[in-house]
Amino acid sequence: SSKNGKVVSGSADKTVLIWDLEKEGEEPTKIDFGKRVEAVAISSDDQSFYVVGDFGAVRKYDINSGEKIKEFKDSHGHTERVWSVAVTSKNSKLVTGDGNGDIIVWD
């Protein structure tokens, strides 16, 4: 969850939901990925979040609109399902881990 009252959840049903806890009873914003979502992480500035899963990349989204900002994927990136994602406290690094045991630190 974030300080601005948002909670982001990812699911094996291939979706991410953005919940606004300050808007009780309102349906969450839903993003369909088409592939299994394994983990999400909210940035330390509470303005974006990262999603990883069966798509072999890291995707960054705006936490308010749900729109994709960036996709992290290159020739040295993950080739297997990405299982975990973490963001450093100052948003300076993004760390991901995959099914091969590989860990990548993204700038």
Side-chain angles (χ1 to χ4, degrees):
S1 68
S2 68
K3 296 176 201 110
N4 65 4
K6 304 279 180 151
V7 173
V8 180
S9 64
S11 176
D13 74 355
K14 305 175 183 176
T15 64
V16 167
L17 299 176
I18 305 169
W19 304 84
D20 189 336
L21 300 180
E22 296 176 3
K23 296 180 180 176
E24 189 175 324
E26 187 174 296
E27 290 293 314
T29 300
K30 183 177 181 180
I31 304 169
D32 184 12
F33 279 83
K35 294 195 175 198
R36 184 182 178 113
V37 174
E38 294 296 342
V40 298
I42 295 176
S43 64
S44 61
D45 65 4
D46 295 325
Q47 298 303 307
S48 59
F49 64 93
Y50 300 87
V51 181
V52 297
D54 276 352
F55 35 92
V58 183
R59 296 180 184 164
K60 180 180 181 180
Y61 287 82
D62 181 280
I63 200 165
N64 295 303
S65 69
E67 294 198 21
K68 185 164 74 170
I69 298 170
K70 184 175 183 178
E71 183 165 314
F72 297 82
K73 187 172 185 173
D74 63 24
S75 60
H76 303 293
H78 295 288
T79 57
E80 293 290 321
R81 177 186 299 168
V82 183
W83 288 96
S84 60
V85 60
V87 185
T88 60
S89 62
K90 294 184 181 179
N91 284 340
S92 61
K93 304 275 187 210
L94 179 68
V95 182
T96 56
D98 68 21
N100 286 333
D102 294 328
I103 294 174
I104 296 177
V105 179
W106 305 85
D107 289 320

